[in-house]
Amino acid sequence: MLLSTVKRFLGFSLSITLLEAAQIPLAAHSTTYNLENDGNSWDINVAPGENTTGHLVFETVNSFMQHWPNTRYRNGHSIVPAVVPPGTVLYHGRRDANTPTSPEWLATDPEHSYMFCRGQSVESGCWQLTVTTVRPLKLLYFDGSAAAKMPDGAMDSQDILAYGKVVPEKYRGERERINNLCEWAKDLNVDGFVRMEMDFEIMLCDFTQGVIVEAINLRARARGGPGPGGPGRGPGGPEGPGRHLDKTFPSAKLPPHHDNSDSHSIDFSALPNSGGFATFPSWHRYYPGDTRIQLDLTRLISFYDTNLVPSLVVERHGQERIKHRLLGISSEDLRTVVQKIEELTEVSDPGSGIDWATLIRLIVKRYSERLEMVQYILNSTNPSNSASENKALAENVQVQLIAMLQPYMLSTVKPPQNPATSTEWVTPMYKLCATTYTNYINTSSLRPRLTPSENLILDGIHTTTREICRVVTGMWVHGIMAGLEPDYYKPSATDDSDIDLVALLDSWKEHIFGLMKWLDWSVWLKCRPACGFEVFIAFFSEWVMFLTSLLDWQEMCYLPMWPFGRGSDENHESDDPQPRCVRRMAPFDDHSF
């Protein structure tokens, strides 16, 4: 019985794999918009402006405190005030039981901290401090992979506060960076900073304010190289052998995370089962991310705010988002941003009370799977020479478009006798679709209560929903004109062969791929085909323990990140890393990057 169940599952998972393998990666598709929407036009033929950034604000807010999207887009463009509530437990690994007397790093999860848990010998164990907040800790959050020691933009937003300019050559200067940041913050209402490495970490400026500290002597693991149970190595110290370190970091220098008295490189043999990154927890990969750090979106600062930072518009022009950074920001804009951040650390304006993160997530949930379904249908089968097959394919797409637009199909919206002459008849439907989530906010007493940051987020939501509705409504109209809903509108041509469904399907494919590339939502960043172990979990959760011991090809979907497979400063990988399946339980040396 069990064997037959396994066989059926393997056959089913193979079919799923083949279906997903047929999809073309989003990055391979693009579209060019020749017209620009000035914000007042409701013509479905007019697209957003080339320098529009509202959709980028939308997706960065949607990605806050989540590891997966911030691993791909490591060059953060947001600084957000945040609070860690009282009673939150944080962790700090070190070589002794002393409470730090200078700024230091805290891990939000003990697995991260344990990498820095040091001791003089296996017998003496290693030390980890549990640091518990006794009052709200006030922080500033840098989005992206802001703790990645790389020179190509991940630390730009920190540099602006730490050095007053972007200084790429100081990407390894962690001690100088944390000291400068805390010096900048000493007269402000800021206890520290939060950023993302393999996990989220806090740069705490003063261990005597707002926290209590307890030292715990943990068991150390025996090994030959640096790490728990052996003496650490400070920046610039001896390199040491260590095969795990050499395999992972070609330069064997990463990361200089603490000062000379308590500074160590990571030894991945400290992780259980020698599983390398595969055993590192991924609790904060996706929405809602790490909720222990609560962001105040009413005080968001975004470098995609073209009114606040106009000098970066020219710097970004023609660049893919993966290349966006803060190099080129004018000195005037830089001073304006720093002054704005300093002002926002002191204000306590409650704003409108709108839950922006939930609203954005609602929009993503509503459209992400449906847009992906349309893309899949159009990409899974190429137009054929058979008119009946093409019509069936087009009708399937039209059904999906109707499902997205049904709540906005006003009874008064009907095509004229010849809809090819104008698309104005669909404007009320397009406008209703685009403004449903923002109309009340725009027209009610809430609007005057919005902070400038909230207005920026509102514009991002409006820009995003407007373009989704423009493209989807336009595709639906083209389907109407092709006679796919004869009860609603029947074109003058009576012979199906007179309707060029191949051209319609090609046009639809171009529009859906163009829209999804423009939106670039992280929910579409996934392994295709799906990884084996993830399929097991999704469909056979009751047999997971048995199957994982029976089979040796369990996999996880992995997105290359610093420092795992992302390259050191001397060994950069792809400019746009993509997710791939890797063996979940294999030793770290078995992973090929």
Coordinates of all heavy atoms in Angstrom, one line a residue, residues 276-305:
G276 N 25.6 23.3 6.1 CA 25.8 24.6 5.6 C 24.6 25.4 5.7 O 23.8 25.4 6.6
F277 N 24.3 26.2 4.6 CA 23.2 27.1 4.7 C 21.8 26.4 4.7 O 20.8 26.9 5.1 CB 23.2 28.0 3.4 CG 23.1 27.3 2.1 CD1 21.8 27.0 1.6 CD2 24.2 26.9 1.4 CE1 21.7 26.3 0.4 CE2 24.0 26.2 0.2 CZ 22.8 25.9 -0.3
A278 N 21.8 25.1 4.3 CA 20.6 24.3 4.2 C 19.9 24.1 5.5 O 18.7 23.9 5.6 CB 20.8 23.0 3.5
T279 N 20.7 24.1 6.6 CA 20.2 23.9 7.9 C 19.9 25.3 8.6 O 19.4 25.3 9.7 CB 21.1 23.1 8.8 OG1 22.4 23.8 8.9 CG2 21.4 21.7 8.2
F280 N 20.2 26.4 8.0 CA 20.0 27.7 8.6 C 18.5 28.0 8.5 O 17.9 27.8 7.4 CB 20.8 28.7 7.9 CG 21.0 30.0 8.7 CD1 21.9 30.0 9.7 CD2 20.1 31.1 8.6 CE1 22.1 31.1 10.5 CE2 20.3 32.2 9.4 CZ 21.3 32.2 10.4
P281 N 17.9 28.4 9.6 CA 16.4 28.6 9.6 C 16.0 29.7 8.5 O 16.7 30.6 8.3 CB 16.1 29.1 11.0 CG 17.4 29.7 11.5 CD 18.5 28.8 10.8
S282 N 14.8 29.5 8.0 CA 14.3 30.4 7.0 C 12.9 30.8 7.4 O 12.0 30.9 6.5 CB 14.3 29.7 5.6 OG 13.6 28.5 5.6
W283 N 12.7 31.1 8.6 CA 11.4 31.5 9.1 C 10.9 32.8 8.6 O 9.7 33.1 8.6 CB 11.4 31.6 10.7 CG 11.8 30.3 11.3 CD1 11.3 29.1 11.1 CD2 12.8 30.1 12.3 NE1 11.9 28.1 11.9 CE2 12.8 28.7 12.7 CE3 13.7 31.0 12.9 CZ2 13.7 28.2 13.6 CZ3 14.6 30.5 13.8 CH2 14.6 29.1 14.2
H284 N 11.8 33.7 8.1 CA 11.4 35.0 7.7 C 11.6 35.2 6.2 O 11.7 36.3 5.8 CB 12.3 36.0 8.5 CG 12.5 35.7 9.9 ND1 11.4 35.5 10.8 CD2 13.6 35.5 10.7 CE1 11.9 35.2 12.0 NE2 13.2 35.2 11.9
R285 N 11.5 34.1 5.5 CA 11.7 34.2 4.1 C 10.7 35.0 3.4 O 11.0 35.8 2.5 CB 11.7 32.8 3.5 CG 13.0 32.3 2.9 CD 12.8 30.9 2.3 NE 13.9 30.6 1.5 CZ 14.0 29.6 0.6 NH1 12.9 28.8 0.5 NH2 15.0 29.3 -0.1
Y286 N 9.4 34.8 3.7 CA 8.3 35.4 3.0 C 7.4 36.2 3.9 O 7.7 36.2 5.1 CB 7.5 34.3 2.3 CG 8.3 33.3 1.5 CD1 8.4 32.0 1.8 CD2 9.0 33.8 0.3 CE1 9.2 31.1 1.0 CE2 9.7 32.9 -0.4 CZ 9.8 31.6 -0.1 OH 10.6 30.7 -0.8
Y287 N 6.4 36.8 3.4 CA 5.4 37.5 4.2 C 4.8 36.7 5.3 O 4.6 35.5 5.1 CB 4.3 38.0 3.3 CG 3.2 38.8 3.9 CD1 3.4 40.2 4.1 CD2 2.1 38.3 4.5 CE1 2.4 41.0 4.7 CE2 1.1 39.0 5.1 CZ 1.3 40.4 5.2 OH 0.4 41.2 5.8
P288 N 4.7 37.2 6.5 CA 4.9 38.6 6.9 C 6.3 39.0 7.4 O 6.6 40.1 7.9 CB 4.0 38.7 8.1 CG 4.0 37.4 8.8 CD 4.1 36.4 7.6
G289 N 7.3 38.0 7.2 CA 8.7 38.4 7.6 C 8.8 38.3 9.1 O 8.1 37.6 9.8
D290 N 9.8 39.0 9.6 CA 10.1 39.0 11.0 C 9.3 40.1 11.7 O 9.6 41.3 11.6 CB 11.6 39.3 11.3 CG 12.0 39.0 12.7 OD1 11.1 39.1 13.6 OD2 13.2 38.6 12.9
T291 N 8.2 39.7 12.3 CA 7.2 40.6 12.9 C 7.6 41.1 14.2 O 6.9 42.0 14.8 CB 5.8 39.9 13.0 OG1 6.0 38.7 13.8 CG2 5.3 39.6 11.6
R292 N 8.7 40.7 14.8 CA 9.2 41.2 16.1 C 9.7 42.6 15.9 O 9.8 43.4 16.9 CB 10.3 40.3 16.6 CG 9.8 38.9 17.1 CD 10.9 38.0 17.4 NE 11.7 37.7 16.2 CZ 12.7 36.9 16.1 NH1 13.2 36.3 17.3 NH2 13.4 36.6 15.0
I293 N 10.1 43.0 14.7 CA 10.5 44.3 14.4 C 9.4 45.0 13.7 O 9.1 44.7 12.6 CB 11.8 44.3 13.6 CG1 12.9 43.6 14.4 CG2 12.3 45.7 13.2 CD1 14.2 43.3 13.6
Q294 N 8.8 46.0 14.4 CA 7.6 46.6 13.9 C 7.9 47.9 13.2 O 8.4 48.9 13.8 CB 6.6 46.8 15.0 CG 6.2 45.5 15.7 CD 5.4 45.7 17.0 OE1 5.2 46.8 17.4 NE2 5.1 44.6 17.6
L295 N 7.6 48.0 11.9 CA 8.0 49.2 11.1 C 6.9 50.3 11.2 O 5.7 49.9 11.2 CB 8.2 48.8 9.6 CG 9.3 47.7 9.4 CD1 9.5 47.5 7.9 CD2 10.6 48.1 10.0
D296 N 7.3 51.5 11.2 CA 6.3 52.6 11.2 C 6.3 53.2 9.8 O 7.1 54.1 9.4 CB 6.7 53.7 12.2 CG 5.8 54.8 12.3 OD1 4.8 54.8 11.5 OD2 6.0 55.8 13.1
L297 N 5.4 52.7 9.0 CA 5.3 53.2 7.6 C 4.9 54.6 7.4 O 5.0 55.2 6.3 CB 4.4 52.2 6.8 CG 4.8 50.8 6.7 CD1 3.9 50.0 5.8 CD2 6.2 50.6 6.2
T298 N 4.3 55.2 8.5 CA 3.9 56.6 8.4 C 5.2 57.5 8.3 O 5.1 58.7 8.1 CB 3.1 57.0 9.6 OG1 3.9 57.0 10.8 CG2 1.9 56.1 9.7
R299 N 6.4 56.9 8.6 CA 7.6 57.7 8.6 C 8.6 57.1 7.6 O 9.8 57.3 7.8 CB 8.2 57.8 10.0 CG 7.3 58.6 11.0 CD 8.0 58.7 12.3 NE 8.0 57.5 13.1 CZ 8.8 57.3 14.1 NH1 9.7 58.2 14.5 NH2 8.8 56.1 14.7
L300 N 8.2 56.4 6.6 CA 9.0 55.8 5.6 C 9.8 56.9 4.8 O 9.2 57.9 4.4 CB 8.1 55.0 4.7 CG 8.7 54.6 3.3 CD1 9.8 53.6 3.4 CD2 7.6 54.2 2.3
I301 N 11.1 56.6 4.6 CA 11.9 57.4 3.7 C 12.3 56.5 2.5 O 12.8 55.4 2.7 CB 13.2 57.9 4.3 CG1 12.8 59.0 5.4 CG2 14.1 58.5 3.3 CD1 12.3 60.3 4.8
S302 N 11.9 56.9 1.3 CA 12.2 56.1 0.1 C 13.1 56.9 -0.9 O 12.8 58.0 -1.2 CB 11.0 55.6 -0.6 OG 11.3 54.9 -1.8
F303 N 14.1 56.3 -1.3 CA 15.0 56.9 -2.4 C 14.3 56.8 -3.8 O 14.8 57.3 -4.7 CB 16.4 56.3 -2.4 CG 17.2 56.7 -1.2 CD1 17.2 55.8 -0.1 CD2 17.8 57.9 -1.1 CE1 17.9 56.2 1.1 CE2 18.5 58.2 0.0 CZ 18.6 57.4 1.1
Y304 N 13.1 56.1 -3.8 CA 12.3 56.1 -5.0 C 11.3 57.2 -5.0 O 10.5 57.4 -5.9 CB 11.6 54.8 -5.2 CG 12.5 53.6 -5.6 CD1 12.5 52.4 -4.9 CD2 13.2 53.7 -6.8 CE1 13.3 51.4 -5.3 CE2 14.0 52.7 -7.2 CZ 14.1 51.5 -6.5 OH 14.9 50.5 -6.9
D305 N 11.4 58.1 -4.0 CA 10.5 59.3 -3.9 C 11.2 60.3 -4.8 O 12.2 61.0 -4.4 CB 10.4 59.7 -2.5 CG 9.5 60.9 -2.3 OD1 9.1 61.6 -3.3 OD2 9.1 61.2 -1.1

